């Protein structure tokens, strides 16, 4: 699930919200609570809803509103958050989920499939109670999600990069079996191990943290962990890398040309840096523009259904969406002609340039 998060204060009321698959989960409070507490609560709620409903979409919320109300009532007790897993809430929920039947899956051409070694499946989106007594299949799904934050200077030189990762498990196993998971034995963790030989090619992590239900006693010995997964979603581990050499898979560069006192041309270029047998999908590049921008016109190198650029006047941001990009392929370019108010020339350099991908 794609997730965006933020917090705002409007007239003394604190709002914390996350955007998941185009839907907003929000909470409000008059107290000065920790934003991380609210974001973690909403993030946990989105995973529990997906466990019960199979998918977290507008249609699933509409068809299972009473069930979701029960889940929220168990997570919040008179406004106090109660942290619980899907397995703990499941006995307290009386309603059964109504499945959402999605349309037929889009059949992509072979060149768009990349080097996929496993067949895509919707099994991970099934309902938690979808199995029957005759269904003896035991399934567990493991997702490794990594976010890279990188800072570049005006010349395109990388100044700093940090990688934040998490290991997510969604379990549909019967009973409470024990899962054994082994990591790379050459992995080095700075807050747990001694410094390795500088000449060795060791994967170095700054730190790694496990869920309380995980037995990590053997991690320092043979890099293995064990746990009995509850049904539903579980974040097994989170880790961070900042000292190693991190190469972002996509490089975004820009150039600003002032054509007149009230107009600016912004050139954006996206360069793939990953292997040619991989395909990057759902790429979004955002660039803020001055709030006094009158209009923006775009010129794409390959306009069509594969990519689209638009100007959000409400957020004063240029948003460039690309459906997919092949590794080591050609660069994608966007020319944005920004027309400003006559008095805004002083602010052009101060506002433009904060591009993120």
């Amino acid at each position: 699930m794609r997730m965006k998060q933020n917090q705002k204060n409007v007239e003394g009321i604190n709002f914390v919200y996350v955007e998941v698959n185009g839907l907003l989960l929000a909470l409000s409070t008059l107290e000065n609570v920790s934003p991380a507490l609210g974001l973690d609560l909403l993030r946990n709620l989105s995973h529990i809803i997906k466990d019960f409903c199979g998918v977290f979409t507008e249609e699933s919320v509409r068809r299972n509103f009473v069930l979701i109300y029960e889940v929220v009532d168990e997570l919040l007790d008179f406004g106090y958050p109660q942290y619980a897993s899907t397995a703990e809430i499941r006995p307290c929920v009386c309603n059964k989920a109504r499945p959402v039947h999605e349309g037929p899956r889009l059949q992509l051409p072979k060149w768009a499939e990349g080097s996929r070694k496993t067949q895509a499946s919707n099994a991970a989106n099934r309902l938690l109670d979808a199995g029957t007594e005759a269904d003896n299949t035991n399934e567990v799904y493991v997702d490794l999600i990594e976010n890279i934050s990188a800072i570049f200077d005006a010349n395109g030189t990388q100044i700093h990069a940090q990688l934040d990762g998490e290991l997510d498990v969604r379990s549909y196993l019967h009973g409470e079996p024990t899962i054994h998971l082994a990591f790379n034995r050459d992995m080095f963790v700075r807050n747990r191990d001694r410094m390795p030989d500088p000449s060795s090619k060791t994967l170095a992590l700054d730190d790694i943290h496990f869920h309380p239900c995980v037995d990590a006693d053997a991690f320092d010995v043979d890099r293995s962990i064990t746990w009995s997964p509850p049904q539903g979603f579980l974040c097994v581990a989170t880790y961070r890398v900042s000292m190693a050499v991190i190469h972002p898979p996509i490089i975004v560069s820009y150039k600003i040309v002032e054509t007149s006192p009230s107009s600016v041309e912004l050139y954006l270029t996206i360069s793939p840096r990953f292997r040619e047998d991989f395909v990057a999908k759902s790429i979004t590049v955002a660039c803020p523009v001055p709030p006094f921008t009158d209009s923006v016109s775009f010129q794409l190198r390959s306009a069509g259904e594969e990519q689209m650029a638009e100007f959000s006047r409400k957020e004063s941001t240029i948003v460039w969406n690309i459906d997919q990009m092949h590794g080591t392929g050609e660069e994608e370019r966007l020319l944005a002609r920004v027309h400003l108010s006559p008095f805004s020339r002083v602010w052009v350099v101060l506002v433009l340039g904060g591009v993120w991908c």
Side-chain angles (χ1 to χ4, degrees):
M1 295 187 298
R2 300 187 62 185
M3 184 177 299
K4 298 179 181 179
Q5 52 194 28
N6 207 338
Q7 64 276 343
K8 290 184 178 180
N9 182 282
V10 180
E11 297 181 356
I13 303 176
N14 296 312
F15 293 91
V16 181
Y17 64 91
V18 297
E19 181 182 351
V20 186
N21 297 338
L23 300 178
L24 288 177
L25 286 174
L27 61 85
S28 61
T29 176
L30 296 175
E31 305 295 334
N32 186 21
V33 300
S34 170
L37 175 66
L39 294 174
D40 193 39
L41 174 64
L42 296 176
R43 183 174 180 268
N44 187 33
L45 175 61
S46 66
H47 288 303
I48 293 178
I49 293 175
K50 186 179 186 300
D51 286 339
F52 277 97
C53 300
V55 292
F56 187 36
T57 60
E58 183 178 353
E59 181 63 21
S60 66
V61 173
R62 184 182 297 110
R63 294 174 63 89
N64 300 281
F65 183 79
V66 177
L67 184 146
I68 294 176
Y69 184 87
E70 285 188 279
V71 172
V72 174
D73 187 54
E74 295 297 332
L75 279 180
L76 291 173
D77 189 5
F78 295 99
Y80 291 93
Q82 310 294 319
Y83 283 91
S85 63
T86 304
E88 295 172 329
I89 293 180
R90 190 177 181 184
C92 304
V93 176
C94 300
N95 287 273
K96 297 294 183 181
R98 300 176 61 188
V100 177
H101 299 286
E102 297 182 344
R105 293 178 59 87
L106 177 64
Q107 298 296 327
L108 297 177
K110 292 184 178 180
W111 58 266
E113 294 291 341
S115 62
R116 181 181 297 167
K117 297 180 175 58
T118 57
Q119 189 67 22
S121 173
N122 283 332
N125 295 331
R126 72 179 190 181
L127 304 181
L128 195 61
D129 295 324
T132 62
E133 295 181 357
D135 184 10
N136 295 322
T137 58
N138 288 327
E139 298 174 332
V140 60
Y141 297 88
V142 180
D143 292 323
L144 185 63
I145 303 175
E146 295 182 338
N147 296 315
I148 298 178
S149 301
I151 300 177
F152 296 84
D153 60 12
N155 299 322
T157 303
Q158 181 175 319
I159 301 176
H160 175 74
Q162 177 175 311
L163 184 146
D164 297 290
E166 64 180 49
L167 181 65
D168 297 336
V169 173
R170 193 174 298 275
S171 173
Y172 298 97
L173 301 176
H174 299 288
E176 295 184 357
T178 301
I179 292 182
H180 298 261
L181 181 65
F183 295 85
N184 191 335
R185 292 198 174 189
D186 295 332
M187 184 172 59
F188 163 74
V189 184
R190 299 180 187 275
N191 65 343
R192 305 174 74 107
D193 306 325
R194 295 181 179 180
M195 290 294 294
D197 185 1
S199 61
S200 63
K201 296 182 180 180
T202 304
L203 176 62
L205 304 182
D206 290 356
D207 52 60
I208 184 169
H209 301 280
F210 298 100
H211 191 273
C213 74
V214 175
D215 184 3
D217 293 339
F219 180 79
D220 296 329
V221 179
D222 57 2
R223 290 293 187 258
S224 65
I225 58 176
T226 59
W227 78 96
S228 297
Q231 284 197 328
F233 175 84
L234 177 67
C235 181
V236 176
T238 59
Y239 59 91
R240 182 172 57 92
V241 179
S242 63
M243 302 301 293
V245 178
I246 301 174
H247 300 286
I250 295 176
I251 304 296
V252 181
S253 57
Y254 68 93
K255 180 181 179 182
I256 301 174
V257 178
E258 185 178 359
T259 57
S260 70
S262 60
S263 63
V264 173
E265 289 186 348
L266 175 64
Y267 296 85
L268 292 176
T269 304
I270 300 179
S271 305
R273 291 294 185 268
F274 48 91
R275 285 165 38 185
E276 60 182 2
D277 55 342
F278 284 91
V279 178
K281 296 184 179 181
S282 302
I283 304 171
T284 301
V285 179
C287 178
V289 295
F292 33 77
T293 300
D294 290 338
S295 62
V296 180
S297 59
F298 301 100
Q299 181 178 340
L300 293 168
R301 196 189 67 170
S302 57
E305 296 181 357
E306 294 80 10
Q307 53 180 297
M308 180 183 64
E310 59 182 356
F311 167 56
S312 176
R313 187 178 300 275
K314 181 179 180 180
E315 299 180 357
S316 299
T317 304
I318 295 174
V319 181
W320 181 16
N321 295 311
I322 301 177
D323 287 345
Q324 62 181 12
M325 176 179 290
H326 294 270
T328 64
E330 296 184 359
E331 298 178 342
E332 297 291 345
R333 297 182 178 89
L334 169 67
L335 169 59
R337 296 182 175 90
V338 183
H339 303 280
L340 308 171
S341 301
F343 62 86
S344 60
R345 184 176 185 274
V346 180
W347 295 91
V348 172
V349 180
L350 296 180
V351 178
L352 284 173
V355 183
W356 59 268
C357 178

